[in-house]
Amino acid sequence: DMVAMRRHGYEPRVVESTNAKDAIAAMVAEAEDFAASEHRSLAILAKTQSGATKLHQQLAEVGLSARLLDAESNGYPAGIIVCTPHIAK
């Protein structure tokens, strides 16, 4: 069973970029801020599951360790997760 999480910290933000390289760089910067914080989890959301899979791959290519969640996932681990808004709910 999945267990719902309470969100703590800053309000969710939408970070817009003109290209994929800048978007990935912005996500890495957010992840670095997260690592220096007291928070235990950070979600990076993609519109679709295929988008989440691609994003997870791109983050791994730049050395960012994250876990990909999908409908088959059994929980929310601490750390950085990549998922869709549907799964994040």
Side-chain angles (χ1 to χ4, degrees), residues 41-82:
S41 59
L42 169 70
I44 300 174
L45 304 180
K47 287 183 180 181
T48 64
Q49 190 61 46
S50 62
T53 300
K54 182 178 179 180
L55 177 57
H56 180 256
Q57 225 172 2
Q58 291 171 317
L59 293 171
E61 288 171 4
V62 296
L64 185 64
S65 178
R67 181 164 173 205
L68 177 64
L69 296 185
D70 61 20
E72 304 299 318
S73 297
N74 291 325
Y76 294 98
I80 301 170
I81 60 171
V82 178

